[in-house]
């Protein structure tokens, strides 16, 4: 942007664009059930098993989005993404969480679908911890902390520092990109285990995820 004299021409600007690359990574689950179960069951067993396996894949995909290591064929999740903010915990969880917001704000990224994610152990701690002594105002009330939603997922571990700390992520979750290719692939195999009167079911998903803007997120390990 330029300040101009009357009738002066504005200088042309070129937009700078980054490229985030996603590549398909295979995520599969497999189980076997007997034809006797099919014969005896009063429900649609094949659809029941398909739904269960699809849910298993969804949980694994969610875990990768948060905690994916980027190695052993896993995507890189938020926690392992290079360049995201980080806050060193103190003995005051409210101060720590405000500092997480500051880490995102100083990078001009405090916008979009902002929220916290932590596990049930940490959420319980926040619900019983006052913002300050004798205020009767707790860090987590009504599903929010400091005006931002707090979501609970046990995909965020509570195992840091000999199980004394829990992970917390704050940021703009619309900057987490998730790509899926070819939908959910379901293979029903009644032949391989036919001698055992069994049916094999394999469900697969090709997916990847990446953080579009590392400065949109901050992580911390808070004492619970």
């Amino acid at each position: 942007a330029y300040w101009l004299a009357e009738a002066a021409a504005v200088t042309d600007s070129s937009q700078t664009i980054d490229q985030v690359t996603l590549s398909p990574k295979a995520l599969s689950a497999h189980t076997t059930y007997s034809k006797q179960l099919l014969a005896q069951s009063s429900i649609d067993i094949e659809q029941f098993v398909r739904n269960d396996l699809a849910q298993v894949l969804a949980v694994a995909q969610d875990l990768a989005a948060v905690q994916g290591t980027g190695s052993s064929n896993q995507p890189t999740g938020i926690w392992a993404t290079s360049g995201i903010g980080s806050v060193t915990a103190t003995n005051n969880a409210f101060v720590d969480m405000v500092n997480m917001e500051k880490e995102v704000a100083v990078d001009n990224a405090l916008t979009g679908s902002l929220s916290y994610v932590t596990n049930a152990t940490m959420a319980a701690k926040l619900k019983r911890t006052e913002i300050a002594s004798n205020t009767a105002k707790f860090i987590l009330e009504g599903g929010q902390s400091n005006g931002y939603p707090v979501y609970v997922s046990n995909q965020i571990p509570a195992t840091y520092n000999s199980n004394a700390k829990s992970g917390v992520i704050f940021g703009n979750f619309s900057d987490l990109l998730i790509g899926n290719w070819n939908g959910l692939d379901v293979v029903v195999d009644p032949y391989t285990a036919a001698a055992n009167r069994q049916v094999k079911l394999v469900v697969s998903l090709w997916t990847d995820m990446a953080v579009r803007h590392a400065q949109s997120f901050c992580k911390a390990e808070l004492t619970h």
Side-chain angles (χ1 to χ4, degrees):
Y2 298 89
W3 295 102
L4 303 169
E6 182 178 359
V10 63
T11 301
D12 184 38
S13 299
S14 297
Q15 186 175 8
T16 301
I17 299 175
D18 254 345
Q19 184 177 53
V20 178
T21 302
L22 301 177
S23 60
K25 295 174 176 60
L27 179 63
S28 293
H30 161 232
T31 193
T32 304
Y33 54 88
S34 71
K35 291 187 175 182
Q36 182 173 329
L37 177 62
L38 283 173
Q40 289 181 313
S41 178
S42 61
I43 62 174
D44 184 345
I45 281 295
E46 184 179 314
Q47 189 61 49
F48 177 80
V49 174
R50 285 189 191 194
N51 291 343
D52 266 9
L53 291 182
Q55 186 173 11
V56 166
L57 295 189
V59 171
Q61 187 181 31
D62 181 57
L63 179 60
V66 176
Q67 289 282 333
T69 63
S71 61
S72 301
N73 304 312
Q74 292 183 29
T76 301
I78 296 171
W79 196 272
T81 296
S82 176
I84 71 169
S86 179
V87 165
T88 301
T90 68
N91 290 324
N92 189 319
F94 181 67
V95 170
D96 295 337
M97 294 175 76
V98 171
N99 284 336
M100 293 177 73
E101 297 167 17
K102 181 200 72 174
E103 284 296 314
V104 175
V106 295
D107 290 321
N108 299 314
L110 198 67
T111 184
S113 302
L114 295 165
S115 61
Y116 287 95
V117 177
T118 190
N119 57 42
T121 302
M122 192 68 212
K125 162 82 180 288
L126 299 178
K127 285 181 178 181
R128 62 178 186 266
T129 303
E130 288 183 292
I131 293 174
S133 298
N134 302 317
T135 60
K137 293 182 179 180
F138 295 88
I139 299 175
L140 176 53
E141 290 186 333
Q144 291 192 333
S145 180
N146 205 27
Y148 296 106
V150 178
Y151 296 103
V152 176
S153 170
N154 290 321
Q155 306 278 38
I156 307 287
T159 56
Y160 303 108
N161 192 25
S162 301
N163 209 34
K165 293 186 176 182
S166 287
V168 180
I169 295 174
F170 173 76
N172 174 18
F173 281 82
S174 61
D175 275 347
L176 173 65
L177 306 181
I178 299 178
N180 292 327
W181 288 262
N182 201 35
L184 196 64
D185 182 73
V186 180
V187 175
V188 181
D189 176 10
Y191 306 110
T192 303
N196 301 99
R197 297 159 306 283
Q198 291 179 316
V199 177
K200 290 189 174 184
L201 188 65
V202 181
V203 178
S204 301
L205 179 68
W206 286 268
T207 185
D208 196 14
M209 47 287 288
V211 171
R212 187 174 71 90
H213 189 227
Q215 292 82 357
S216 294
F217 291 94
C218 182
K219 65 181 180 181
E221 300 169 13
L222 305 188
T223 302
H224 57 237

